[in-house]
Amino acid sequence: MKSETIAVKRHSLLYRILHWLIVLGVLLLLLSGLAVSEYIPLVLISRGAARSLHILAGLIWTGTITFFVYYFMMSGEYKWFGVSKIASAIDFSVHEVKSFISGKKVKSPVGYNSDKKKYAEKVVPTEVLAWWGWFGLWSIMVLTGLALLFPESFNFINRLCYAILPAFSKAAAATRFIHLVASMGIVVYMMIHAYASWIFGMVGSMISGSNEEPVINLEE
């Protein structure tokens, strides 16, 4: 087994563009959402402008992540994040936490097979959990957002949210609260994702598309 590294094209241009558009969309939604929030008001722009911006940004963001998921599947990226990898990802995450507490650094399993010219492993197992977490939060954000914007067409979402949180006086209020909680979850996820990307040296690859990867050639 060799120990050198090799420059590898990790992300396509389209993948990187979609990634940063999603990040920009989240920031715009956060800025405008807080300005109209009844729970965490942070008025940086007028309420009317914030509402219009929030609706527009939300619809564009929904379209962007829908296309991203489509591209994610069609490009074959999904194979690194399959359901079958969730169990091992949980084990790795537990190991990460224990190592962090003890002050040790976890070695990344990412490696490139230069003989076969493909990744032996492309993602840190924690990313598998992150992906499914992202997908879940995105789904909640989109569905509750559409329910608030088009209450008649998505009334079943409002009824479901009200069934989950019956203490609220109205179904829309329950939906709005779940929408807020999901948005805060995305913010927390973004911070964890940024930290992990920095620790494992993945930030540059989302800018340039390339990354120096350890060579892992398993000799027959």
Side-chain angles (χ1 to χ4, degrees):
M1 183 179 294
K2 302 177 182 179
S3 58
E4 72 265 20
T5 62
I6 184 173
V8 179
K9 191 70 174 179
R10 185 174 176 84
H11 300 300
S12 68
L13 177 60
L14 179 56
Y15 188 96
R16 284 175 281 147
I17 290 174
L18 290 171
H19 172 273
W20 292 114
L21 284 176
I22 291 172
V23 173
L24 177 61
V26 169
L27 295 177
L28 288 175
L29 287 170
L30 180 63
L31 172 67
S32 56
L34 290 177
V36 297
S37 174
E38 298 175 359
Y39 303 100
I40 313 176
L42 181 62
V43 184
L44 299 178
I45 55 179
S46 68
R47 192 176 182 86
R51 176 176 168 75
S52 298
L53 175 60
H54 197 70
I55 292 174
L56 178 61
L59 292 174
I60 294 175
W61 186 74
T62 298
T64 302
I65 62 172
T66 300
F67 182 72
F68 177 82
V69 171
Y70 168 78
Y71 178 73
F72 189 79
M73 299 294 291
M74 297 304 294
S75 65
E77 284 289 312
Y78 72 91
K79 71 179 182 180
W80 302 106
F81 300 85
V83 175
S84 62
K85 294 192 173 187
I86 292 179
S88 59
I90 293 175
D91 291 338
F92 186 86
S93 298
V94 172
H95 176 57
E96 274 189 300
V97 172
K98 290 181 178 178
S99 297
F100 177 79
I101 294 175
S102 62
K104 299 178 181 178
K105 184 177 180 180
V106 177
K107 183 180 179 180
S108 171
V110 174
Y112 188 81
N113 189 316
S114 60
D115 291 339
K116 296 183 177 180
K117 298 187 183 305
K118 64 179 183 180
Y119 275 96
E121 177 57 68
K122 191 173 183 179
V123 301
V124 177
T126 311
E127 292 183 68
V128 175
L129 300 181
W131 159 249
W132 287 104
W134 282 122
F135 186 77
L137 289 171
W138 286 350
S139 299
I140 294 172
M141 282 287 290
V142 169
L143 291 174
T144 54
L146 289 173
L148 292 170
L149 186 58
F150 307 108
E152 293 183 1
S153 300
F154 291 87
N155 188 43
F156 69 97
I157 297 296
N158 286 321
R159 292 201 304 269
L160 176 60
C161 292
Y162 190 51
I164 296 173
L165 298 174
F168 282 85
S169 58
K170 297 181 179 179
T175 303
R176 189 173 294 109
F177 183 76
I178 291 176
H179 189 74
L180 172 66
V181 171
S183 68
M184 293 300 100
I186 286 180
V187 171
V188 172
Y189 249 69
M190 283 182 67
M191 291 188 292
I192 295 174
H193 176 63
Y195 173 77
S197 298
W198 178 267
I199 290 297
F200 288 107
M202 299 295 182
V203 177
S205 66
M206 197 52 73
I207 298 174
S208 67
S210 300
N211 200 49
E212 286 287 334
E213 306 287 23
V215 173
I216 300 177
N217 292 338
L218 299 177
E219 299 179 0
E220 299 287 321

